[in-house]
Amino acid sequence: MGCPKNSILYNGTHCACPAGYLLNRAANSCAVFSVRSQIETDSGIDYYAATFPETFFSFDTIKKFTQSQAVFLEATLVLLLSWLFFCLFLRFMKLGDGRGIWFRIRWWVSRLDVCFATRHWLDDQKLVIKRKTELGGTFSIASWILFTGLFAALLYQVISKRTIEVHNVRATNAPDLASFSNDMELKLITVSSMSCSNLRMPTTFVSGSSGFIDPKVTPLSSFLNYSCQNTSVGPAITFRCNNCRLSQDYMFVSWQFVDLPNNPAAAVGFQFNITAKDHANRRHVSFVSGTLKNGSDLDDRPVTFRGVDGNILVFNLFPRMYRNLHDLRLIQPLFHDFVPGSVLYDTSQLRASLESSNDGLINMTLYTLN
C-alpha cells in the first residue's frame, strides 16, 4: 500500500504526515490541522438538562426561574383559581329577599368592576345595573391578581440579577474547601493518527504545597479512574473523580505516547473538556473546554508535538458558592496556561525527529492549581 497523499518519507520506506498535518484515513490523505485555538467556559448556573415539553412552548426563560420565582407564580395561580371558584360558588346561592349575606357578597363583587362596566358607579341606586356588573367584578379582580403575581415575579428577577450570587471561597480556608464535594471528569483528546496502543499511562500522581517542598506520591487508582478510547481524531483519555474533595495542594499527573512500528508518536493539537457537578445536586454543571494547537495566540502556525520535552496543561479549580441556589457548592474549572514541549514547525525538523530514537515519544502533564 502506498503512502498517503501529501505525506513525507523517513528512514527510506516509512510514511508520515508533514508538520502540522493530520492523516485523513477515509481519504488516505494528509490535511493541515486548521482549527484555531479557542477556550469556552460555563459558570454552571444553568440547568444541566431540559425538563419541560419544549415541543409545544418555549420554556427557555421559565427554566431559568429560581425557586422563589416559582413560589410567586404558584401563589398567583392558587389565588386566581380560588377567586374564580368563590365567584362561581356565589352564582349558585339563593338571593332571597335581597337582604341575605349571599346577596350582599354578590353586590360587593359587582362593585369591584373597575375594568369593564365602570359607569355603574354613577348609578348607585340602580340595583339591576349593579347585578349586571357582577361578572365584570369577577374578571376585574382576576386580572389584578394575575397582573400582581406576574409583576412580582418579574420584579424579583430584576432585583436578583443586581445581587451577588457567586461567592469565591479562598483556597487557604481548609474547612470551607472540605465542604465541596464534586464529581469531576477530564477528557483530553490528543489530535493525531495514534491510538490507545501508543499510550503509556502513569500509575501515580504527585501533590504538594507551593514550591513542591516534600512532594507526596500517591497511587493514581486511589484518587482517579482513567480510561482510553480511540476516536476518529486520536486517543481520548478520560480521568474521573467521584465525590472529589478540594485541598490546598498542587497536583499533577504525567503520561506518555511512544512510537510503534509504522505508527510514530506525533500530534498536531489537543482538545480538552473538564466538567464539575455537585455530588448531591447534579442539575448544574461547570465546565471548561477548548482546543490547543500552539503555545501562542500570536503564532498560530500548524505544528507537530513530538520529543522529550513535556507538554504541560495547567488548570485552576475555583470553589464557588451560589447563595441564591440553596448554597450550591460547585467547583469552576478554568484554563490557566499551556506550555508546549518539543514543537516541530517544518518538514526537515520532523523528518530528523522521526529518524531519531531519542525523540520517539510525547510527554504530557496535567497540572492543577487550587
Side-chain angles (χ1 to χ4, degrees), residues 35 42 79 98 141 157 187 190 194 196 208 243 251-252 255 288-289 295-296 349 359:
V35 178
D42 189 87
L79 188 59
I141 298 302
Q157 185 179 22
K187 186 175 183 180
T190 304
M194 299 185 298
C196 291
N243 202 12
M251 296 177 290
F252 75 88
W255 64 95
V288 58
S289 62
S296 172
Q349 289 179 326
D359 287 347

Side-chain angles (χ1 to χ4, degrees), residues 309-355:
D309 295 335
N311 302 282
I312 305 174
L313 284 81
V314 186
F315 296 94
N316 288 103
L317 301 179
F318 284 100
R320 287 181 172 178
M321 185 179 300
Y322 295 83
R323 298 294 188 187
N324 292 4
L325 291 176
H326 306 286
D327 287 339
L328 172 69
R329 287 170 166 81
L330 200 61
I331 298 173
Q332 175 64 63
L334 294 176
F335 175 76
H336 181 81
D337 195 10
F338 171 57
V339 182
S342 300
V343 179
L344 308 174
Y345 290 91
D346 54 51
T347 301
S348 60
Q349 289 179 326
L350 177 60
R351 181 180 286 111
S353 177
L354 291 170
E355 293 176 349

Side-chain angles (χ1 to χ4, degrees), residues 1 78 83-84 88 91 105 234 258 273 288 300 328 332:
M1 183 177 179
V78 170
W83 169 254
L84 294 177
L88 181 63
R91 296 292 296 178
I105 294 176
V258 298
N273 182 57
V288 58
D300 204 35
L328 172 69
Q332 175 64 63

Side-chain angles (χ1 to χ4, degrees), residues 200-222:
R200 298 295 179 265
M201 284 299 298
T203 58
T204 61
F205 78 97
V206 181
S207 61
S209 58
S210 179
F212 282 96
I213 301 174
D214 191 21
K216 296 176 291 186
V217 179
T218 308
L220 186 63
S221 59
S222 65

Side-chain angles (χ1 to χ4, degrees), residues 7-57:
S7 63
I8 62 173
L9 287 175
Y10 67 96
N11 286 336
T13 58
H14 294 81
C15 306
C17 288
Y21 280 68
L22 182 65
L23 176 61
N24 186 337
R25 298 184 185 277
N28 193 31
S29 175
C30 294
V32 65
F33 185 62
S34 58
V35 178
R36 296 188 61 85
S37 299
Q38 56 184 358
I39 307 296
E40 180 181 359
T41 304
D42 189 87
S43 62
I45 60 174
D46 291 331
Y47 282 109
Y48 183 65
T51 57
F52 293 91
E54 295 186 1
T55 305
F56 301 99
F57 301 99

Side-chain angles (χ1 to χ4, degrees), residues 133-153:
T133 64
E134 184 178 344
L135 190 61
T138 299
F139 287 107
S140 292
I141 298 302
S143 300
W144 276 106
I145 292 174
L146 186 61
F147 171 80
T148 303
L150 295 179
F151 180 78

Side-chain angles (χ1 to χ4, degrees), residues 178-232:
S179 65
F180 283 79
S181 175
N182 281 196
D183 295 337
M184 302 191 65
E185 178 180 296
L186 164 67
K187 186 175 183 180
L188 178 64
I189 300 177
T190 304
V191 183
S192 64
S193 302
M194 299 185 298
S195 67
C196 291
S197 300
N198 297 84
L199 176 63
R200 298 295 179 265
M201 284 299 298
T203 58
T204 61
F205 78 97
V206 181
S207 61
S209 58
S210 179
F212 282 96
I213 301 174
D214 191 21
K216 296 176 291 186
V217 179
T218 308
L220 186 63
S221 59
S222 65
F223 186 73
L224 296 172
N225 296 321
Y226 64 87
S227 61
C228 183
Q229 181 181 4
N230 292 320
T231 70
S232 59

